[in-house]
Amino acid sequence: MNRLSVAMCVALAVVPALGSGQSSTPDPLVGLWMSDTTLGPPLYGELTIARTGSVWRATLAGAQTGFSVSTDSIRFAFSANRGAFRGVRSPDGSVIHGFWIQPEGKLVDPRDPGGTAQRFATPVRLTRIGSRMWRGAVPGLPDRFTLYLRVATDSTDQLAGAFRNPDQNSTGGATQYRVTHEGDSIVFAARPNIRHAAKLITPDRLHIFWPDLVRVLELRRRAPSEVPAFFPRPPGEPLYTYRQPAATRDGWKTARAKSVGVDEAALTALVRRLIASDPVARRPSLMHSLLIARRGRLILEEYFFGFDQNTTHDIRSAGKTFASVMLGAAMRQGAKLSPQTRVYDLMSSLGPFANPHPGKARMTLAHLMTHTSGFINDDEIVMQTQKAQSNWWKYTLDLPLGSEPGTRYSYSSAGMNLMGGALTFGTRTWLPELFDRTIARPLQFGTYFWNLMPTDEGYLAGGAYLRPRDLMKIGQVYLDGGLWNGRRIVDSVWVTESTSPHVDVSPATTGLSKEEFPNYYFESRDGFAWHLYNVQVGKRSYREYEANGNGGQFVIVLPELELVVTFTGANYGQGGIWGHWRDNIVGAVIAPAIRD
């Protein structure tokens, strides 16, 4: 996302660790505690489809369901909302290509549309293993909530605590707490008026009501070696030294940094800095991955806090940029769409529309991709939590306009999601299928999960789960003029057009005062679903375009330096931290490490 928190800080500043004080008699609460709650996914593993005469049956993780098939289209659902499948048989019947639909998660804060709150579609390929039987693997996206607690003595020999949650950055409202207890009753307090009560059940178990989940969690005492994902890297791990990323069969060519003119000592120092960061600092930098590619070669790939190269990550609003990539790919494949396509003409079958306004007839796809649609009351959380209209495209089309399209910049997830409707209507293709056909398969993606609206249509305002290696590929495709390993994804003209400035983000264009503006935005420009900045490297300024999302999800491209950088992170709701990674890491460390 482009919106920022009020507070600003230096992203990599290391605050003195909680627990620097010394106590002759350690308090029994001192130490690490952990709660790990997983409710799903309900079904995953090996899926088998078998046919006996006209009767079809699907089996997955011990569950069975029967269904009928009239054409090559295959659809079924398991009872109790445990998941569904939609696919099609190949003409020779040897393969069933389709998507597993994972139901919405239960462990989510309804006030936060991130995480696993929505349903997800993930591609599945079943191969015929008999004359009337097909089998394939269904991956699962865990419906998980992990809460860590560290209690220590501070510099004044008082108890202090910090909660950390890598899934949603749920900290209870504060990053550090004063801890008091009497007997088995514990209180975690922070200003202003933040207070959580807990109870020590045994010396190694405590219960706390966690408001974001509206449930009581049990935290158990853990040794540092038992909770390696609490730390950037497990305690006791050898001192980091630079290493070339592993070559896999996902299309990335890898190389040592020095072979493409990048100082390996500088990269080593950067990664060591990230590893040494304090996860319970008042303003922690919770980076989950850092990947760097130069001249088409992946030269650095490092993961932190328990993540690895095969872990899919919530990309939040970085996924909005796929709206532009899919539009470019669809136009190249002959779809009658363009930035000038009028939204209400394209989606007229969803009418009639509420709140008529002359500007609605003039609204184009370009306006949606530049956040200048003019919609008001388009808050993403309101849209996702209201129950009156399950079709969020229709919900958005019915919203009132506050300004003529093209005249005001206002960051809009609802508007960008409407691009998904436009692509669906314009290509007559289910959005996950369009993404799979135009991006995921050509770019050799691994496992991914594409989130859905309540209607099971694709959602395009962000929140898909991808591997960082795959997310990074869109930056390399655009740096290479629309190509991935010689295969054209979008036209080079579209790369130039979509990453050119189409709107300024400033007090004048947002209608905010100069005092209000920094609370929400950086001064910048936007292309078509790409954010455009200048990155200062020493005395030089380099043009940059990027996809970015809440928490620190980035694909950053600096064309002049032939450089692509990707981050993922968990600083959700802390734009004052992740919003500075571009300058404090890319501009101050990575770019200066380039020697030729």
Side-chain angles (χ1 to χ4, degrees), residues 287-417:
M287 189 180 296
H288 288 166
S289 71
L290 167 62
L291 292 82
I292 303 173
R294 185 153 198 254
R295 295 176 179 165
R297 300 293 190 271
L298 184 63
I299 62 169
L300 185 94
E301 181 184 21
E302 297 296 337
Y303 297 90
F304 312 96
F305 295 103
F307 286 77
D308 61 38
Q309 69 175 208
N310 292 317
T311 306
T312 59
H313 201 284
D314 184 353
I315 65 170
R316 297 292 177 106
S317 288
K320 287 179 168 65
T321 296
F322 284 120
S324 183
V325 184
M326 279 193 274
L327 176 59
M331 290 190 299
R332 174 174 170 74
Q333 294 177 8
K336 294 181 179 179
L337 292 170
S338 76
Q340 289 72 46
T341 298
R342 295 191 173 191
V343 176
Y344 282 82
D345 288 347
L346 185 64
M347 305 181 72
S348 60
S349 62
L350 295 181
F353 303 110
N355 297 300
H357 186 289
K360 288 188 173 184
R362 294 185 286 273
M363 186 186 299
T364 67
L365 302 189
H367 295 137
L368 297 181
M369 291 188 291
T370 56
H371 301 281
T372 59
S373 64
F375 286 125
I376 57 174
N377 303 327
D378 58 350
D379 183 85
E380 181 182 27
I381 296 176
V382 173
M383 178 179 73
Q384 293 196 12
T385 56
Q386 58 82 33
K387 303 300 181 184
Q389 178 52 264
S390 61
N391 186 327
W392 296 342
W393 300 334
K394 169 67 171 169
Y395 172 88
T396 305
L397 291 164
D398 282 341
L399 288 173
L401 289 190
S403 60
E404 176 70 19
T407 62
R408 277 281 184 267
Y409 182 94
S410 180
Y411 190 87
S412 173
S413 291
M416 195 64 74
N417 178 53

Side-chain angles (χ1 to χ4, degrees), residues 27 234 260 304 314 365 387 414 425 439 507 524 532 553 561 576 592:
D27 190 282
V260 291
F304 312 96
D314 184 353
L365 302 189
K387 303 300 181 184
F425 275 69
I439 297 177
S524 61
L532 316 178
Q553 328 314 322
L561 296 177

Side-chain angles (χ1 to χ4, degrees), residues 171-248:
T171 63
T175 57
Q176 291 189 355
Y177 292 84
R178 181 67 63 199
V179 184
T180 58
H181 68 102
E182 183 175 344
D184 60 3
S185 296
I186 309 165
V187 173
F188 298 88
R191 295 179 180 175
N193 303 319
I194 297 174
R195 182 183 176 92
H196 301 289
K199 186 173 184 178
L200 195 64
I201 305 302
T202 71
D204 294 327
R205 296 163 51 229
L206 68 84
H207 287 180
I208 186 169
F209 177 80
W210 203 247
D212 286 351
L213 293 186
V214 198
R215 67 175 62 205
V216 173
L217 298 179
E218 179 173 285
L219 291 101
R220 292 178 175 264
R221 188 186 298 277
R222 293 286 186 261
S225 60
E226 295 177 298
V227 286
F230 170 78
F231 305 94
R233 289 286 169 85
E237 188 175 80
L239 185 66
Y240 172 81
T241 57
Y242 171 80
R243 55 198 173 197
Q244 178 179 332
T248 65

Side-chain angles (χ1 to χ4, degrees), residues 433-488:
E433 290 178 348
L434 183 66
F435 175 77
D436 196 63
R437 187 187 78 213
T438 60
I439 297 177
R441 274 185 280 164
L443 269 60
Q444 301 166 265
F445 276 27
T447 300
Y448 69 88
F449 301 87
W450 192 271
N451 45 334
L452 307 174
M453 302 192 303
T455 57
D456 278 348
E457 295 288 355
Y459 186 69
L460 195 48
Y465 279 71
L466 306 179
R467 301 186 316 155
R469 282 177 77 117
D470 293 335
L471 175 63
M472 190 178 195
K473 290 173 183 177
I474 63 168
Q476 192 63 52
V477 165
Y478 270 58
L479 183 60
D480 289 342
L483 298 171
W484 174 251
N485 287 328
R487 178 173 181 173
R488 184 155 294 283

